[in-house]
Amino acid sequence: LGKYYLVDVDYPTPIGYIAPYKCKCYHLPKFRHSIGFANYNEVFNYYHSSLRCTMERTFGIWKNRFTILRHMSKFKFVTQV
């Protein structure tokens, strides 16, 4: 409940997985070269892309700082908590 995964456009999207809209502008550099958004789907894709980039950078920093994260065993969510 209340947990979602941000996934790439080609990833299947069962309940709890949020993918960007297909055939719409998605990558941040493309938005920087355009004037505004064409529609609400592009707005969603902009924020989706921005959040994914932030999360990927954060995990990269954590993996460099805490090397144990590079080789984590897979545990159920309940065990992790």
Side-chain angles (χ1 to χ4, degrees):
L1 254 17
K3 296 173 186 67
Y4 299 94
Y5 294 95
L6 293 181
V7 296
D8 210 356
V9 71
D10 295 324
Y11 201 86
T13 53
I15 294 174
Y17 291 74
I18 301 175
Y21 288 98
K22 292 182 180 183
C23 302
K24 299 292 177 191
C25 187
Y26 179 72
H27 297 286
L28 292 179
K30 289 183 181 179
F31 285 112
R32 291 188 185 110
H33 298 299
S34 65
I35 303 170
F37 300 107
N39 53 44
Y40 289 116
N41 294 352
E42 283 192 1
V43 174
F44 176 84
N45 282 0
Y46 172 79
Y47 287 109
H48 186 282
S49 179
S50 180
L51 182 57
R52 273 193 64 214
C53 287
T54 301
M55 291 172 60
E56 287 174 5
R57 273 195 314 271
T58 302
F59 279 107
I61 291 168
W62 286 353
K63 284 181 177 182
N64 285 332
R65 175 75 172 96
F66 306 103
T67 55
I68 193 171
L69 294 176
R70 294 182 196 167
H71 309 287
M72 288 291 296
S73 300
K74 297 192 184 239
F75 294 104
K76 293 180 183 177
F77 182 76
V78 175
T79 306
Q80 292 178 33
V81 171

